[in-house]
């Protein structure tokens, strides 16, 4: 738990180094201590293996004018010592996962990542995670892009390549972890939950004492019990309710004069990224992509590629940081409150735009929409299969319509903006409009919505598919089987109207 040390006036945070056995945790802390010019304390080792932990103290940097005292702790990797490891993990404000990236060992790191990631997210605010891809000097080290591919399915996570034995990359991974820890502190401070007093543990001797006394009291379970998932966390709700929604939008465009082009910077100051912690991790991921936003004729900025879109509306420019921060908080609140409707992986950023101005950006992970699904099916699927897709898309669109209307977000419900995964609850996958679209209320009529969305699709089918008569027939049969279904009736009618004249 981060603590404002009441006697020393410093902010105490803890970065914990975790990882599979022999991945290089102790080596990392040794070279890190050397590079930071401080000592290291390792209470007990046996045959070169960590039995309790390694401990490094580092004081450096400022948070709201206070010095930051970072407790850097590594865990013991051996399975028999799991209880100690768990206890140390439970105390982390950020975690560096040291991964042995040799082909023979890397699966062990993925296992640890699978275990850690949900736990980190369940903490509120979340505990940031950095993957320190270690042993890059080994000829059997797996290529970086392969690591990215492999972990894509698990999580977005920031990766820093290191050679712990020489120290290469070690400091970079540490500094990024401290940033993530400070994001957590910032979120706690904003919610008035930052603890002040004496830290639970103020040095390696006290930590050793804590671990040994816990073990004496047999039957004590590790402190890191996973919380039940799904419900929005109390923290999110709290943040969402911090103050009433304000129309803090600076509507007028300040000027079209030269602006600094946005470059995603994972080291940008805390308090300018939402969500805390996870936002910075995503930022680290997208910063590798070298996406350079361009300006549209309307004055918006945008960039797209490698599975991401960046966007900033022309109006989202603020003359100073205060105005920008208010808008960021409003947007963050809106995203948090509606997280069930919105696709995941969204990040909101307030970035310097030059001349003291700030611009509000959204980074949105590209997710496949109903339209893409239909376009893919249109090319290859058999008529019956295609009609199943059309039905599925219509039903998904209506579910989304309902959720979007209830959210009162004023976002457009179209085949382009609704997620394509039929098995899951529909999500809005489009960009967040800068201001709610009053026209969104016009979408209330279901037949009109379906007609508007499916007419171009069915026209395309009637033009491009020689078997269109079968498609139309299949839709007509659906309507006959389910005469009370508004979707079936509408689509049968639209299909009929789209039939080319002979
Ligand atoms: N080639 C190479 N060897 C490394 C690197 N980092 C660590 N090692 C070696 O890996 C072995 C294990 O390193 P440790 O730092 O003791 O590993 P650990 O994760 O602390 O191990 P436990 O605490 O027992 O779980 C040692 O022989 C290190 O020299 C690296 O970047 N490259
Ligand atoms: Mg060790």
């Amino acid at each position: 738990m981060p603590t404002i040390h009441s006697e020393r006036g410093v902010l105490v945070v803890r970065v914990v180094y975790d990882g599979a056995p022999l991945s290089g945790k102790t080596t990392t802390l040794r070279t890190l201590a050397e590079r930071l010019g401080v000592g290291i304390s390792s209470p007990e080792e046996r045959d070169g293996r960590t039995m309790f932990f390694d401990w490094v103290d580092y004081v450096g940097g400022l948070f709201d004018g206070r010095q930051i005292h970072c407790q850097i702790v590594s865990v013991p990797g051996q399975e028999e010592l799991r209880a100690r490891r768990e206890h140390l993990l439970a105390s982390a404000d950020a975690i560096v996962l040291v991964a042995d990236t040799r082909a023979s060992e890397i699966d062990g790191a993925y296992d640890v990542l699978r275990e850690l990631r949900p736990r980190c997210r369940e903490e509120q605010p979340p505990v940031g995670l950095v993957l320190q891809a270690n042993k890059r000097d080994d000829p059997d080290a797996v290529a970086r892009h392969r690591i990215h591919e492999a972990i894509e399915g698990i999580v977005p996570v920031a990766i820093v390549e290191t050679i712990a034995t020489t120290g290469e990359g070690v400091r970079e991974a540490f500094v990024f972890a401290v940033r993530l820890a400070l994001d957590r502190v910032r979120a706690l401070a904003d919610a008035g939950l930052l603890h002040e007093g004496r830290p639970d543990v103020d040095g390696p001797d006290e930590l050793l004492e804590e671990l040994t006394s816990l073990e004496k009291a047999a039957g004590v379970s590790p402190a890191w019990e996973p919380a039940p998932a799904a419900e929005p966390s109390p923290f999110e709700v709290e943040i969402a309710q911090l103050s009433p929604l304000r129309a803090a939008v600076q509507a007028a465009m300040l000027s079209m004069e030269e602006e600094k082009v946005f470059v995603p910077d994972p080291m940008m100051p805390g308090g300018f990224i939402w969500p805390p912690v996870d936002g910075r991790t995503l930022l680290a991921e997208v910063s590798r992509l070298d996406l350079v936003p361009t300006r549209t004729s309307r004055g918006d900025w945008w960039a797209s590629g490698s599975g991401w879109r960046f966007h900033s509306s022309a109006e989202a420019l603020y003359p100073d940081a205060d105005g920008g921060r208010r808008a960021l908080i409003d947007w963050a609140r809106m995203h948090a409150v509606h997280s069930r409707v919105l696709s995941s992986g969204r990040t909101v950023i307030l970035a310097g735009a030059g001349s003291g101005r700030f611009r509000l950006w959204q980074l949105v992970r590209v997710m496949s929409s109903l339209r893409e699904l239909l376009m893919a099916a249109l090319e290859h699927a058999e008529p019956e299969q295609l009609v199943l897709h059309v039905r599925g898309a219509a039903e998904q669109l209506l579910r989304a319509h309902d959720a979007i209307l209830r959210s009162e977000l004023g976002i457009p419900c179209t085949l382009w903006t609704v997620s394509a995964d039929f098995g899951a609850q529909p999500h809005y996958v489009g960009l967040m409009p800068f201001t709610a679209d009053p026209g969104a209320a016009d979408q209330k009529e279901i037949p009109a919505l379906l007609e508007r969305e499916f007419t171009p699709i069915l026209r395309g089918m009637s033009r491009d598919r020689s078997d269109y008569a079968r498609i139309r027939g299949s839709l007509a049969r659906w309507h006959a089987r389910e005469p009370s279904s508004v979707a079936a009736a509408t689509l049968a009618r639209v299909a009929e109207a789209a039939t080319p004249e002979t």
Side-chain angles (χ1 to χ4, degrees):
M1 180 170 45
T3 304
I4 305 275
H5 199 308
S6 46
E7 290 152 33
R8 293 169 45 220
V10 297
L11 168 72
V12 181
V13 293
R14 186 176 290 179
V15 175
V16 174
Y17 282 69
D18 189 31
L22 298 172
S23 54
K25 302 176 287 293
T26 298
T27 311
T28 298
L29 255 64
R30 283 196 185 130
T31 46
L32 182 63
E34 200 181 302
R35 295 212 162 190
L36 297 174
V38 293
I40 179 167
S41 156
S42 306
E44 190 183 323
E45 285 186 0
R46 209 166 292 157
D47 303 325
R49 305 296 300 272
T50 306
M51 299 309 289
F52 283 93
F53 55 84
D54 305 291
W55 176 289
V56 174
D57 282 303
Y58 179 66
V59 179
L62 292 177
F63 179 85
D64 287 351
R66 289 179 192 281
Q67 277 204 305
I68 302 160
H69 179 153
C70 197
Q71 301 179 341
I72 312 167
V73 178
S74 80
V75 310
Q78 297 178 75
E79 186 53 35
E80 315 77 272
L81 304 174
R82 174 171 269 271
R84 293 176 186 168
R85 170 179 170 243
E86 296 268 358
H87 184 75
L88 294 169
L89 284 173
S91 70
D93 295 308
I95 295 176
V96 179
L97 196 179
V98 181
D100 186 336
T101 59
R102 291 176 299 171
S104 56
E105 303 300 323
I106 198 156
D107 284 345
Y110 297 152
D111 288 344
V112 179
L113 184 59
R114 268 187 214 96
E115 179 195 340
L116 280 185
R117 181 62 186 178
R119 293 170 158 207
C120 286
R121 293 195 56 86
E122 277 151 14
E123 292 289 314
Q124 288 300 333
V127 169
L129 184 59
V130 182
L131 188 100
Q132 182 182 313
N134 194 34
K135 306 200 183 180
R136 302 307 287 159
D137 57 325
D138 196 284
D140 289 335
V142 175
R144 184 179 174 135
H145 73 272
R146 291 244 173 276
I147 302 177
H148 272 283
E149 280 164 19
I151 64 174
E152 193 100 307
I154 313 177
V155 288
V157 62
I159 300 182
V160 181
E161 291 180 277
T162 61
I163 304 171
T165 37
T166 64
E168 200 176 312
V170 162
R171 190 178 177 131
E172 190 190 341
F174 167 67
V175 171
F176 190 68
V178 173
R179 284 278 173 186
L180 294 176
L182 294 180
D183 287 341
R184 183 160 198 267
V185 175
R186 170 79 54 202
L188 285 169
D190 286 351
L193 299 173
L194 186 55
H195 180 245
E196 209 167 331
R198 197 180 181 285
D200 295 340
V201 163
D202 208 5
D205 297 342
E206 288 186 18
L207 183 57
L208 187 61
E209 166 74 30
E210 186 184 62
L211 282 176
T212 44
S213 61
L214 273 178
E215 282 168 20
K216 272 189 214 131
V220 172
S221 63
W224 211 352
E225 285 289 326
E231 284 303 305
S233 67
F235 184 79
E236 274 170 348
V237 173
E238 187 154 1
I239 286 284
Q241 292 169 345
L242 270 181
S243 61
L245 190 71
R246 294 165 31 134
V249 172
Q250 181 90 16
M253 256 196 74
L254 293 174
S255 79
M256 290 287 277
E257 78 191 45
E258 280 292 289
E259 260 185 64
K260 209 171 104 197
V261 175
F262 171 63
V263 179
D265 172 15
M267 301 307 283
M268 70 186 291
F272 288 69
I273 317 173
W274 180 91
V277 185
D278 282 356
R280 190 182 295 280
T281 305
L282 290 173
L283 201 54
E285 193 183 344
V286 300
S287 67
R288 293 182 306 110
L289 306 176
D290 290 331
L291 288 179
V292 181
T294 53
R295 197 151 206 185
T296 68
S297 55
R298 197 192 154 264
D300 287 11
W301 288 91
W302 84 295
S304 155
S306 307
W308 284 92
R309 281 185 289 170
F310 303 173
H311 182 259
S312 177
S313 192
E315 299 90 333
L317 183 68
Y318 300 87
D320 53 38
D322 284 348
R325 277 269 293 164
R326 281 196 293 275
L328 175 80
I329 290 168
D330 280 347
W331 246 35
R333 187 177 302 119
M334 179 176 67
H335 277 78
V337 169
H338 298 293
S339 60
R340 283 156 184 250
V341 180
L342 303 174
S343 59
S344 59
R346 286 169 189 264
T347 304
V348 182
I349 286 166
L350 188 67
S355 312
R357 296 167 301 175
F358 283 81
R359 180 169 271 294
L360 191 63
W361 285 86
Q362 58 182 318
L363 274 49
V364 179
R365 196 184 273 284
V366 175
M367 299 215 176
S368 137
S369 68
L370 291 172
R371 187 177 183 281
E372 281 165 273
L373 177 104
L374 288 174
M375 293 324 263
L378 209 153
E379 284 196 14
H380 307 294
E382 291 295 315
E384 285 70 27
Q385 218 189 347
L386 186 51
V387 167
L388 280 181
H389 277 95
V390 169
R391 281 184 62 168
E395 281 156 5
Q396 181 86 331
L397 188 72
L398 294 183
R399 274 200 297 274
H401 173 67
D402 194 43
I404 286 174
L405 264 190
R406 268 187 286 121
S407 76
E408 297 181 349
L409 267 170
I411 49 181
C413 177
T414 73
L415 291 172
W416 295 84
T417 63
V418 173
S419 59
D421 184 359
F422 291 167
Q425 178 199 331
H427 287 109
Y428 177 74
V429 298
L431 292 171
M432 182 62 81
F434 186 63
T435 43
D437 172 14
D442 298 344
Q443 300 168 1
K444 276 187 184 140
E445 289 300 320
I446 287 171
L449 168 70
L450 291 176
E451 190 172 329
R452 184 191 71 201
E453 293 303 309
F454 282 92
T455 296
I457 298 275
L458 286 159
R459 282 220 184 104
M461 286 184 200
S462 77
R463 190 182 59 235
D464 300 336
R465 302 259 319 208
S466 55
D467 52 6
Y468 184 68
R470 283 174 62 197
I471 295 170
R472 197 186 61 208
S474 177
L475 283 168
R477 280 196 298 284
W478 174 30
H479 176 39
R481 272 197 314 276
E482 295 179 33
S484 60
S485 159
V486 178
T490 311
L491 289 179
R493 179 164 51 75
V494 172
E496 192 61 40
T499 308
E501 287 176 22
T502 46

